[in-house]
């Protein structure tokens, strides 16, 4: 038996989950030409609390998907991570937006709804134990654009340990995710992987 006692095993696992199967262009190959992101500097503020109209997302990430409905849902729910992926495509940014997009837009994007948000721990055999204890927390983190960004962009891409100075700076770019992340990490800490 292995007891997960820190965020590190989970953070390392998250990095492996969505590698390269994003469905969007990840290195300039075949990507659509959409306008660049219109989030407020750095990708953190866009998409939260749509002010007004029913005609489109609060932000345009620049990350095209197979259908307009999928792109619109992604930009409405995952604009910060989608903007990061459009700006700097790679394993971590693609993973962040894929987790968020799949958790929020499964129907619009024609993908199966992920179990408990789709976040898979290390080892993957621990997923059943994680989901049994922390499904709500895992789902909440996956559905949160900011929580997904904290895991994949702050921890995995930038190497920021939770609650370090680097983490605090990164969290300012992706506001609103720290409490959700902390609840998920605290629950995961109690998971006994069999």
């Amino acid at each position: 038996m292995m007891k997960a006692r820190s965020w590190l095993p989970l953070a390392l696992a998250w990095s492996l989950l969505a590698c390269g199967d994003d469905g969007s262009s990840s290195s300039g190959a075949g990507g659509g030409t959409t306008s660049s992101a219109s989030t407020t500097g750095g990708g953190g503020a866009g998409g939260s609390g749509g002010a007004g109209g029913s005609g489109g997302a609060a932000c345009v990430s620049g990350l095209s998907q197979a259908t307009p409905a999928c792109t619109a849902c992604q930009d409405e729910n995952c604009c910060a991570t989608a903007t990061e992926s459009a700006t700097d495509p790679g394993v971590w940014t693609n993973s962040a937006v894929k987790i968020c997009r799949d958790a929020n837009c499964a129907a619009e994007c024609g993908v199966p709804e992920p179990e408990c948000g789709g976040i898979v721990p290390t080892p993957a055999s621990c997923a059943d134990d994680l989901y049994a204890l922390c499904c709500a927390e895992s789902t909440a983190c996956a559905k949160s654009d900011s929580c997904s960004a904290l895991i994949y962009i702050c921890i995995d891409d930038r190497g920021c340990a939770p609650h370090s100075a680097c983490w605090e700076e990164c969290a300012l770019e992706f506001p609103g995710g720290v409490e959700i992340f902390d609840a998920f990490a605290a629950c995961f800490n109690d998971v006994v992987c069999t």
Side-chain angles (χ1 to χ4, degrees):
M1 277 195 202
M2 176 181 135
K3 172 111 172 139
R5 297 201 184 275
S6 75
W7 58 269
L8 187 58
L10 187 57
L12 293 175
W14 291 329
S15 67
L16 301 175
L17 177 63
C19 301
D21 60 351
D22 182 88
S24 60
S25 74
S26 43
S27 57
T33 316
T34 54
S35 64
S36 22
S38 63
T39 57
T40 337
S48 58
S54 59
C59 118
V60 177
S61 69
L63 184 65
S64 295
Q65 295 304 312
T67 66
C70 181
T71 302
C73 183
Q74 166 197 263
D75 285 359
E76 181 179 337
N77 293 285
C78 309
C79 200
T81 53
T83 299
E84 286 288 323
S85 186
T87 303
D88 185 20
V91 170
W92 313 122
T93 54
N94 290 351
S95 295
V97 70
K98 178 173 179 14
I99 289 294
C100 182
R101 184 178 56 241
D102 287 358
N104 286 290
C105 306
E108 293 85 349
C109 296
V111 298
E113 188 172 331
E115 182 179 5
C116 297
I119 296 173
V120 179
T122 295
S125 60
C126 187
D128 289 341
D129 298 314
L130 174 65
Y131 297 163
L133 188 61
C134 305
C135 188
E137 292 83 357
S138 179
T139 301
C141 187
K143 284 184 170 277
S144 166
D145 193 22
S146 294
C147 189
S148 297
L150 290 175
I151 293 168
Y152 294 101
I153 296 169
C154 298
I155 294 173
D156 291 331
D157 186 40
R158 298 180 187 172
C160 300
H163 306 290
S164 65
C166 173
W167 168 271
E168 298 301 331
E169 288 177 21
C170 196
L172 292 175
E173 289 181 55
F174 308 107
V178 173
E179 285 184 25
I180 299 166
F181 172 83
D182 285 346
F184 181 50
C187 187
F188 182 74
N189 225 19
D190 293 333
V191 173
V192 176
C193 297
T194 53

